[in-house]
Amino acid sequence: MIKLLRKIGRYITAALTGKFNEVADPKVQLEQAIIEAQDQHRRLKEQAANVIANQKQTEMRLNRAMGELEKVNASARQAVLMADDAAKKGDTAKAAEFTRAAEAFANRLISIEHEVEGLKTLSLQSAQASDQAKAAVQQNSAALQKRLAERQKLLSQLDQ
């Protein structure tokens, strides 16, 4: 019984759709199709803008991490030099303190290097995604322009 009702419902829907298409104004259908294509293009541009913004944020994070890497590397070098100077002067307490500081900087350096490697990979992936998004927008823009030209052609034919 339920299957029969579903079949009847689909039949009625198909019949009404067919009747609607017969009486629908081609100009209105054409305008609706163009509006939908323009909306799709707008959404695609927004998505591409988000992808590009994500790429820029990743690049900024990578640049900050690279700057921090340089600072920590310089601090580690300085701590090692100061520990060596203190050891040469015979101040073992200061030498041990500077050695611990150098080890802490070295540990921080390792973690920042891992972060930089991850950000490099992410940056590369986001750059590829950004390029793909730009290409998709350009391709969609060309298709939209083609549809708009076809619309003008069809509208002039309908008017004749």
Side-chain angles (χ1 to χ4, degrees):
M1 183 69 174
I2 293 175
K3 288 183 181 180
L4 178 63
L5 291 175
R6 285 185 186 160
K7 280 185 179 181
I8 291 172
R10 283 190 287 239
Y11 177 79
I12 291 172
T13 301
L16 291 176
T17 301
K19 289 290 182 188
F20 173 75
N21 288 337
E22 287 176 16
V23 297
D25 185 8
K27 287 182 183 181
V28 173
Q29 288 180 328
L30 186 60
E31 288 300 320
Q32 287 174 341
I34 294 298
I35 289 170
E36 178 58 35
Q38 288 172 334
D39 286 344
Q40 178 187 5
H41 184 67
R42 180 189 48 78
R43 287 189 302 271
L44 184 62
K45 282 176 32 179
E46 288 172 0
Q47 290 173 347
N50 288 336
V51 169
I52 293 168
N54 187 31
Q55 177 200 8
K56 297 297 180 190
Q57 286 177 338
T58 302
E59 287 176 1
M60 289 172 40
R61 287 175 44 206
L62 178 60
N63 290 336
R64 279 194 299 266
M66 293 292 283
E68 187 177 352
L69 182 68
E70 290 174 13
K71 288 178 186 176
V72 171
N73 195 11
S75 296
R77 248 188 259 124
Q78 185 67 29
V80 168
L81 290 175
M82 292 172 78
D84 190 41
D85 285 345
K88 286 179 183 176
K89 292 179 183 175
D91 191 354
T92 57
K94 281 280 191 193
E97 182 181 332
F98 288 133
T99 302
R100 282 192 301 275
E103 289 172 356
F105 282 125
N107 288 334
R108 178 75 180 125
L109 193 62
I110 291 170
S111 70
I112 293 173
E113 285 174 347
H114 288 300
E115 180 183 352
V116 165
E117 288 304 314
L119 286 172
K120 282 181 182 179
T121 302
L122 188 61
S123 180
L124 183 62
Q125 290 171 348
S126 65
Q128 290 171 345
S130 175
D131 291 342
Q132 289 173 349
K134 288 175 186 175
V137 167
Q138 288 175 346
Q139 184 179 10
N140 191 271
S141 178
L144 181 61
Q145 292 302 320
K146 184 178 176 182
R147 284 182 186 163
L148 290 172
E150 288 175 3
R151 178 187 90 181
Q152 290 301 327
K153 180 181 169 185
L154 290 173
L155 285 175
S156 67
Q157 287 176 354
L158 285 172
D159 288 340
Q160 292 174 357

